[in-house]
Amino acid sequence: MINMKSTILVTGGAGFIGSNLVHYCLEHNDFTLINLDKLTYAGNPESLGSVSNHPRHVFIQGDICDRNLLKKLFQSYQPRAVMHLAAESHVDRSIEGPGEFIQTNIVGTFQLLEAARGYWTALPEERKGSFRFLHISTDEVYGTLGSEGYFTEESRYQPSSPYSASKASSDHLVRAYYHTYGMPTLITNCSNNYGPRQFPEKLIPLMILNALEGRELPVYGDGQNVRDWLYVEDHCRALLKVLAGGVPGETYNIGGNHEKSNLDVVSTLCSLLDEIKPRSGGKPYREQIVFVKDRPGHDFRYAIDASKIQQILDWKPKENFESGLRRTVTWYLDNLDWCAHVQDGSYQRQRLGVIDS
Ligand code: NAD
């Protein structure tokens, strides 16, 4: 069991889930957080906002592929755990250019594992046993489901996109470090997150901002692809449960138990915006929906069986999809400055990841 006053090395803590995790931990725990982030297009210091100068938060701009830097961080801060979230995370970008995904998600995870192993091997016995390396991964490693069934921790790996293949590869490496070296690693595979501070290339923030600006709301294919939606704060609580009570070598699936088709998600968002921020002229936002060419290799359905973490670690999501979505829409409406700042000019919400046939 990890001491709740420990120092934790968090990677990717200026990204969507990472920044929510940093805010959540500083508010609800006594951890000191060493936050290592390269600040790619997806990482933004503004997402850390009020906590950037918090006495228990140290931000370091750097790359997980930089082994010397990692070595120094382990030596200087002597973390009790690593929570590894840094990644290239957008499927459409991985179709457009897989190279960065291989570099960060596979090579970067390898470098981090090696630096952690060097540090962990030299720890005194009593600290060795309580060290944890928690790797945050995705349900996309399991491939696609038909209209029935759920992904469990026993499901076969069958990734379809360069993104999910790179995450699958990093999962295998993390698991291998447990089996080969005995390093206490854990893996979580979670479903689609949503909530505050998500870069506006992902479905929910993209649709909110496009709707407000009167732009088209592009739905891939016929909009019937299904995802299981998890509110980001519920995810953060789950990660802390796994860190505190998870068994090394084990995997925990985390899902919101809220399956929705993409068209349902966009329609629900439109109804919420009709209520909270009606269009001038009173026409419904739904009118802005357009159907566009499907994503190549678009998995039909993801759905998580989260019974293991529910039963063993006593976790379940607090938000349902409607309440979480309302909180999310309200956050974006209140933080339009953040949205403007994170879109630095190189990304203007254009479609990525289309292959000419
Ligand atoms: P994100 O893209 O919002 O953030 C990733 C962060 O990692 C950014 O701050 C970026 O600057 C940083 N980063 C990228 N390359 C780096 C490098 N080489 N060195 C250091 N930092 C680097 O991603 P997210 O949505 O917050 O996802 C976090 C993790 O959770 C990822 O590993 C992702 O695969 C996983 N995940 C996300 C979801 C989701 O729905 N968002 C679902 C399942 C799993």
Short mmCIF file of all heavy atoms in Angstrom, two decimals, residues 195 202-214 217 266 269 273 285 288 325 328-333 336 339 349:
data_model
loop_
_atom_site.label_atom_id
_atom_site.label_comp_id
_atom_site.label_asym_id
_atom_site.label_seq_id
_atom_site.Cartn_x
_atom_site.Cartn_y
_atom_site.Cartn_z
N GLY A 195 -14.37 15.44 -20.36
CA GLY A 195 -14.35 16.35 -19.22
C GLY A 195 -13.56 17.60 -19.55
O GLY A 195 -13.20 17.82 -20.70
N LYS A 202 -10.61 16.25 -30.07
CA LYS A 202 -11.37 15.06 -29.68
C LYS A 202 -12.86 15.37 -29.77
O LYS A 202 -13.27 16.54 -29.65
CB LYS A 202 -10.98 14.62 -28.27
CG LYS A 202 -9.48 14.33 -28.09
CD LYS A 202 -9.07 12.96 -28.58
CE LYS A 202 -7.58 12.73 -28.66
NZ LYS A 202 -6.85 12.62 -27.43
N LEU A 203 -13.66 14.33 -29.91
CA LEU A 203 -15.07 14.48 -30.31
C LEU A 203 -15.84 15.55 -29.51
O LEU A 203 -16.41 16.47 -30.08
CB LEU A 203 -15.78 13.12 -30.19
CG LEU A 203 -17.25 13.14 -30.62
CD1 LEU A 203 -17.38 13.31 -32.13
CD2 LEU A 203 -17.97 11.86 -30.19
N ILE A 204 -15.83 15.42 -28.19
CA ILE A 204 -16.75 16.27 -27.40
C ILE A 204 -16.35 17.76 -27.45
O ILE A 204 -17.17 18.60 -27.83
CB ILE A 204 -16.93 15.70 -25.98
CG1 ILE A 204 -17.76 14.41 -26.12
CG2 ILE A 204 -17.56 16.71 -25.03
CD1 ILE A 204 -18.04 13.66 -24.84
N PRO A 205 -15.09 18.12 -27.13
CA PRO A 205 -14.76 19.55 -27.23
C PRO A 205 -14.84 20.09 -28.66
O PRO A 205 -15.24 21.25 -28.87
CB PRO A 205 -13.33 19.64 -26.68
CG PRO A 205 -12.82 18.26 -26.63
CD PRO A 205 -13.98 17.34 -26.55
N LEU A 206 -14.50 19.25 -29.63
CA LEU A 206 -14.58 19.68 -31.03
C LEU A 206 -16.01 20.09 -31.37
O LEU A 206 -16.27 21.14 -31.97
CB LEU A 206 -14.12 18.54 -31.94
CG LEU A 206 -14.22 18.77 -33.45
CD1 LEU A 206 -13.12 19.70 -33.93
CD2 LEU A 206 -14.14 17.46 -34.22
N MET A 207 -16.95 19.24 -30.95
CA MET A 207 -18.36 19.50 -31.28
C MET A 207 -18.88 20.73 -30.52
O MET A 207 -19.63 21.53 -31.06
CB MET A 207 -19.22 18.28 -30.93
CG MET A 207 -18.91 17.07 -31.77
SD MET A 207 -19.25 17.36 -33.53
CE MET A 207 -18.28 16.07 -34.26
N ILE A 208 -18.47 20.88 -29.27
CA ILE A 208 -18.94 22.04 -28.50
C ILE A 208 -18.48 23.33 -29.19
O ILE A 208 -19.28 24.24 -29.45
CB ILE A 208 -18.41 22.02 -27.04
CG1 ILE A 208 -18.95 20.80 -26.28
CG2 ILE A 208 -18.77 23.32 -26.30
CD1 ILE A 208 -18.34 20.59 -24.90
N LEU A 209 -17.18 23.39 -29.52
CA LEU A 209 -16.65 24.64 -30.08
C LEU A 209 -17.19 24.89 -31.49
O LEU A 209 -17.55 26.02 -31.83
CB LEU A 209 -15.13 24.62 -30.07
CG LEU A 209 -14.51 24.55 -28.67
CD1 LEU A 209 -13.00 24.64 -28.73
CD2 LEU A 209 -15.04 25.64 -27.75
N ASN A 210 -17.26 23.84 -32.30
CA ASN A 210 -17.83 24.03 -33.65
C ASN A 210 -19.27 24.50 -33.56
O ASN A 210 -19.70 25.39 -34.30
CB ASN A 210 -17.78 22.72 -34.44
CG ASN A 210 -16.42 22.48 -35.07
OD1 ASN A 210 -15.48 23.20 -34.80
ND2 ASN A 210 -16.32 21.46 -35.91
N ALA A 211 -20.03 23.91 -32.64
CA ALA A 211 -21.45 24.30 -32.51
C ALA A 211 -21.56 25.78 -32.16
O ALA A 211 -22.30 26.53 -32.81
CB ALA A 211 -22.11 23.45 -31.41
N LEU A 212 -20.75 26.22 -31.20
CA LEU A 212 -20.84 27.62 -30.75
C LEU A 212 -20.47 28.59 -31.87
O LEU A 212 -21.00 29.70 -31.94
CB LEU A 212 -19.91 27.86 -29.55
CG LEU A 212 -20.28 27.13 -28.26
CD1 LEU A 212 -19.23 27.36 -27.19
CD2 LEU A 212 -21.66 27.58 -27.75
N GLU A 213 -19.55 28.15 -32.76
CA GLU A 213 -19.10 29.05 -33.84
C GLU A 213 -19.94 28.89 -35.09
O GLU A 213 -19.59 29.44 -36.14
CB GLU A 213 -17.63 28.77 -34.15
CG GLU A 213 -16.71 29.22 -33.04
CD GLU A 213 -15.27 28.78 -33.25
OE1 GLU A 213 -14.87 28.47 -34.39
OE2 GLU A 213 -14.54 28.71 -32.24
N GLY A 214 -21.01 28.09 -35.03
CA GLY A 214 -21.88 27.93 -36.19
C GLY A 214 -21.26 27.08 -37.28
O GLY A 214 -21.69 27.11 -38.44
N LEU A 217 -20.90 20.11 -37.67
CA LEU A 217 -20.59 19.10 -36.66
C LEU A 217 -20.37 17.77 -37.39
O LEU A 217 -21.33 17.04 -37.67
CB LEU A 217 -21.74 18.99 -35.66
CG LEU A 217 -22.15 20.30 -34.99
CD1 LEU A 217 -23.31 20.09 -34.02
CD2 LEU A 217 -20.98 20.95 -34.26
N VAL A 266 -23.36 13.42 -29.94
CA VAL A 266 -23.46 14.75 -30.56
C VAL A 266 -24.88 15.30 -30.38
O VAL A 266 -25.07 16.48 -30.08
CB VAL A 266 -23.06 14.68 -32.06
CG1 VAL A 266 -23.17 16.05 -32.71
CG2 VAL A 266 -21.62 14.16 -32.17
N LEU A 269 -25.28 16.53 -26.85
CA LEU A 269 -24.57 17.81 -26.70
C LEU A 269 -25.38 18.96 -27.28
O LEU A 269 -25.49 20.03 -26.68
CB LEU A 269 -23.26 17.74 -27.49
CG LEU A 269 -22.01 17.37 -26.75
CD1 LEU A 269 -20.84 17.29 -27.71
CD2 LEU A 269 -21.72 18.41 -25.66
N LEU A 273 -26.70 22.25 -25.32
CA LEU A 273 -26.37 23.61 -25.74
C LEU A 273 -27.64 24.41 -26.06
O LEU A 273 -27.71 25.61 -25.76
CB LEU A 273 -25.44 23.58 -26.96
CG LEU A 273 -23.99 23.22 -26.66
CD1 LEU A 273 -23.21 22.96 -27.94
CD2 LEU A 273 -23.30 24.33 -25.86
N TYR A 285 -29.19 23.32 -32.54
CA TYR A 285 -27.81 23.02 -32.98
C TYR A 285 -27.74 21.78 -33.86
O TYR A 285 -26.83 21.63 -34.66
CB TYR A 285 -26.90 22.84 -31.74
CG TYR A 285 -26.51 24.15 -31.08
CD1 TYR A 285 -27.15 24.58 -29.92
CD2 TYR A 285 -25.48 24.93 -31.59
CE1 TYR A 285 -26.77 25.77 -29.30
CE2 TYR A 285 -25.10 26.12 -30.97
CZ TYR A 285 -25.74 26.53 -29.83
OH TYR A 285 -25.36 27.69 -29.22
N GLN A 288 -26.68 21.60 -37.48
CA GLN A 288 -25.28 21.74 -37.94
C GLN A 288 -24.60 20.38 -38.15
O GLN A 288 -23.47 20.31 -38.62
CB GLN A 288 -24.48 22.58 -36.92
CG GLN A 288 -24.92 24.04 -36.89
CD GLN A 288 -24.35 24.83 -35.72
OE1 GLN A 288 -25.08 25.55 -35.06
NE2 GLN A 288 -23.07 24.69 -35.42
N LEU A 325 -21.61 15.22 -18.82
CA LEU A 325 -21.60 16.06 -20.03
C LEU A 325 -22.01 17.50 -19.70
O LEU A 325 -21.45 18.45 -20.23
CB LEU A 325 -22.56 15.46 -21.07
CG LEU A 325 -22.27 15.83 -22.51
CD1 LEU A 325 -20.84 15.46 -22.92
CD2 LEU A 325 -23.26 15.16 -23.46
N THR A 328 -19.10 19.16 -18.29
CA THR A 328 -18.10 19.40 -19.34
C THR A 328 -18.48 20.62 -20.19
O THR A 328 -17.66 21.51 -20.42
CB THR A 328 -17.99 18.15 -20.25
OG1 THR A 328 -17.73 17.03 -19.40
CG2 THR A 328 -16.89 18.29 -21.27
N VAL A 329 -19.74 20.66 -20.63
CA VAL A 329 -20.19 21.78 -21.47
C VAL A 329 -20.04 23.08 -20.70
O VAL A 329 -19.53 24.08 -21.22
CB VAL A 329 -21.66 21.57 -21.91
CG1 VAL A 329 -22.22 22.82 -22.57
CG2 VAL A 329 -21.76 20.38 -22.86
N THR A 330 -20.42 23.06 -19.43
CA THR A 330 -20.33 24.27 -18.61
C THR A 330 -18.87 24.71 -18.49
O THR A 330 -18.56 25.90 -18.60
CB THR A 330 -20.90 23.99 -17.19
OG1 THR A 330 -22.21 23.44 -17.37
CG2 THR A 330 -20.99 25.23 -16.35
N TRP A 331 -17.96 23.74 -18.32
CA TRP A 331 -16.54 24.11 -18.20
C TRP A 331 -16.06 24.77 -19.49
O TRP A 331 -15.39 25.81 -19.44
CB TRP A 331 -15.68 22.87 -17.90
CG TRP A 331 -14.26 23.26 -17.60
CD1 TRP A 331 -13.74 23.60 -16.39
CD2 TRP A 331 -13.18 23.43 -18.55
NE1 TRP A 331 -12.41 23.95 -16.51
CE2 TRP A 331 -12.05 23.87 -17.82
CE3 TRP A 331 -13.09 23.27 -19.92
CZ2 TRP A 331 -10.81 24.13 -18.44
CZ3 TRP A 331 -11.86 23.54 -20.54
CH2 TRP A 331 -10.74 23.97 -19.80
N TYR A 332 -16.41 24.22 -20.63
CA TYR A 332 -15.95 24.82 -21.90
C TYR A 332 -16.55 26.22 -22.09
O TYR A 332 -15.85 27.14 -22.52
CB TYR A 332 -16.24 23.90 -23.09
CG TYR A 332 -15.18 22.84 -23.21
CD1 TYR A 332 -15.33 21.59 -22.60
CD2 TYR A 332 -13.98 23.09 -23.86
CE1 TYR A 332 -14.33 20.64 -22.65
CE2 TYR A 332 -12.96 22.14 -23.92
CZ TYR A 332 -13.15 20.92 -23.32
OH TYR A 332 -12.14 19.99 -23.36
N LEU A 333 -17.82 26.37 -21.75
CA LEU A 333 -18.43 27.69 -21.90
C LEU A 333 -17.74 28.72 -21.00
O LEU A 333 -17.59 29.88 -21.37
CB LEU A 333 -19.93 27.63 -21.57
CG LEU A 333 -20.78 26.88 -22.61
CD1 LEU A 333 -22.21 26.72 -22.10
CD2 LEU A 333 -20.77 27.59 -23.95
N LEU A 336 -13.55 29.65 -22.51
CA LEU A 336 -13.30 29.82 -23.95
C LEU A 336 -11.91 30.41 -24.21
O LEU A 336 -11.31 30.16 -25.26
CB LEU A 336 -14.40 30.68 -24.57
CG LEU A 336 -15.77 29.96 -24.61
CD1 LEU A 336 -16.87 30.91 -25.08
CD2 LEU A 336 -15.74 28.71 -25.48
N CYS A 339 -9.56 27.59 -24.52
CA CYS A 339 -9.74 26.94 -25.83
C CYS A 339 -9.00 27.71 -26.92
O CYS A 339 -8.35 27.13 -27.79
CB CYS A 339 -11.22 26.86 -26.20
SG CYS A 339 -12.18 25.93 -25.03
N ARG A 349 -9.01 22.79 -36.07
CA ARG A 349 -10.12 21.84 -36.04
C ARG A 349 -10.44 21.24 -37.41
O ARG A 349 -11.56 20.83 -37.68
CB ARG A 349 -11.37 22.48 -35.41
CG ARG A 349 -11.31 22.40 -33.90
CD ARG A 349 -12.50 23.06 -33.26
NE ARG A 349 -12.21 24.42 -32.89
CZ ARG A 349 -13.07 25.43 -32.98
NH1 ARG A 349 -14.27 25.22 -33.44
NH2 ARG A 349 -12.73 26.63 -32.61
#
